[in-house]
Amino acid sequence: MTEYLCINSFDIYKVDQYYYGELSGEFGSNIIGKYELYQDNKYIGKITHTELIKYFKPNNMNTLNLHEEFQTIVGQPILNKGKIIPEDRRKLRLNLAFEELTELAEAFGCLKYFKSLCNQLIHTPYNESKDVYNETEVLDALVDIEVINNGTILETGFKDVFYDAYKQTHDNNISKSHETLEELQESHLYHESKGLTGLSYKEINGRFILYNSNKKVIKPKNYVPNDLSNFTK
């Protein structure tokens, strides 16, 4: 046992290992459980990040805790401090960030300006001495990105709906995994027919994850896109 919480007479322990299978009582779900729940020293069952937040809403749970569940389910790395993220994963993270920043520029109605910023970067002289991994600078950049993101959330008026929108997106992301091998094989054939090559898959905790050649998770054939319009009405 590691972290411990006590909320409304419930004792909740964060366990080191992950579980898969039926959870007891009202917390029934075929999904990874990371917490053990007790009341009056009586064991009730294992619960997930999602269930912990839904039923107990502890103050020290945040979107990073929630995303750890997704990262585990789809088999993406979770490293300890001091471990260097491999170069291919660094490039993937940059690609993902650039894709979302481009979407933000479009949503802001500032795509032309964003392209001008990209053009400035292209014409900036390349400095090989700066093109090396620096752990402190990585942390500094990630903190600054989070600060900017939080400020943008506040400035766009989404403070009161952001967590619920994130939670819906989290649940939708989990739906990108496949429940059965047959479902995965159907998706594999579908995406190959669309010209996507280099596909591979893994079975993780009873779910099947389809990846492209860059190890990005590929959605199931019948995936339903996330719709956040209900939070902007």
Side-chain angles (χ1 to χ4, degrees), residues 63 97 100-101 104 108 141-159 162-163 166:
T63 54
E100 296 306 323
L101 194 56
L104 178 62
F108 268 177
L142 291 174
V143 170
D144 287 344
I145 290 170
E146 188 73 2
V147 169
I148 293 169
N149 192 49
N150 287 337
T152 306
I153 292 168
L154 293 173
E155 200 165 339
T156 50
F158 293 134
K159 174 184 176 182
F162 182 80
Y163 180 81
Y166 186 97

